[in-house]
Amino acid sequence: MTNDKPDYQSQHKKRLSWMPWLYFSLKEKHLLWAKPWQDDIQQLLMQVETIHIGEQCFIAPEAHLFAERGRDIQIGNQCMIAADVFLHGPITMGNEVAINHGCSFDGGRVGINIGNRTRIANNVTIYAFNHGMSVDSPIYQQPVSAKGITIGDDVWIGAQAGIVDGVKIGNQAVVGMGCIVTKDVPEFAIVAGNPAKIIGDRRDK
């Protein structure tokens, strides 16, 4: 017989990594180990990358954040970043921003700006640059352009959506699941499809 007990703490950490919203409702007895665990992860990130992390945030240890000098990542208060997320600065996040598992963001030269209380579902792709497409040279040798991407406050971006460089998404807009956003989205608009088209208004809901 074995007296080994199940490793509930390791499983709980894994659960938090993939469902990070649970971190913000942990009981005190769980925060006794979860808070120091998060403090260590965040302190290390700020030591090795040009990252600023606000108060009461959660960052999964399986997330991949890269921010060279001049390509900073700024994370506001009470933000959460789930497992298998790839972030390459420059990226600026407001307060209470959620980035769920499997997202991939690159700020290019100009950056990605995400407003307060915005929620981004899993496997969303946001790339703030583009390649030239001339046939005169291979695609990987083409010049890169960058305009930047701005996402407003209280925006909901559905799973597996894609947002291309130069797009601005207004406050309180909704981007549907699997949507490809190639043009600006007005405030309160609900968009869906590929390419994204307006199908409704949040004020009517």
Side-chain angles (χ1 to χ4, degrees):
M1 293 182 62
T2 177
N3 293 321
D4 292 344
K5 293 182 179 179
D7 188 356
Y8 289 113
Q9 190 176 113
S10 292
Q11 183 65 13
H12 210 147
K13 287 179 178 179
K14 188 184 296 184
R15 177 179 280 105
L16 292 172
S17 288
W18 290 90
M19 296 180 283
W21 56 89
L22 298 175
Y23 179 77
F24 300 96
S25 58
L26 287 178
K27 297 177 180 178
E28 283 295 325
K29 66 179 181 179
H30 294 130
L31 284 172
L32 289 175
W33 57 259
K35 181 69 166 59
W37 171 60
Q38 273 299 299
D39 287 345
D40 289 346
I41 291 167
Q42 294 175 30
Q43 286 297 323
L44 177 60
L45 277 171
M46 290 190 287
Q47 288 171 11
V48 298
E49 302 283 348
T50 53
I51 295 175
H52 173 79
I53 302 170
E55 298 178 357
Q56 295 179 305
C57 290
F58 179 90
I59 299 176
E62 301 89 349
H64 311 286
L65 280 64
F66 303 101
E68 308 88 61
R69 291 186 180 275
R71 299 192 66 154
D72 300 18
I73 294 177
Q74 302 282 337
I75 300 171
N77 299 328
Q78 292 180 278
C79 291
M80 55 188 184
I81 299 171
D84 275 3
V85 167
F86 165 78
L87 300 181
H88 186 203
I91 297 171
T92 300
M93 299 162 51
N95 299 324
E96 300 176 63
V97 173
I99 301 175
N100 281 283
H101 64 269
C103 289
S104 182
F105 301 174
D106 194 307
R109 291 195 304 268
V110 180
I112 298 167
N113 290 287
I114 303 170
N116 299 316
R117 300 180 304 282
T118 283
R119 301 321 234 200
I120 301 174
N122 64 287
N123 296 102
V124 170
T125 302
I126 304 177
Y127 272 53
F129 67 89
N130 209 343
H131 286 278
M133 290 180 278
S134 169
V135 295
D136 294 336
S137 59
I139 198 75
Y140 75 93
Q141 294 178 353
Q142 296 287 332
V144 174
S145 61
K147 300 176 182 176
I149 293 171
T150 300
I151 300 169
D153 295 338
D154 189 30
V155 172
W156 176 18
I157 300 177
Q160 299 179 336
I163 301 171
V164 304
D165 186 39
V167 163
K168 295 181 180 179
I169 298 177
N171 296 333
Q172 297 182 282
V174 175
V175 174
M177 181 183 292
C179 198
I180 304 299
V181 185
T182 61
K183 296 180 180 179
D184 291 355
V185 177
E187 292 187 354
F188 306 107
I190 302 170
V191 300
N194 180 9
K197 294 182 180 179
I198 296 173
I199 62 167
D201 190 301
R202 273 185 71 180
R203 292 167 291 189
D204 298 330
K205 298 297 181 182

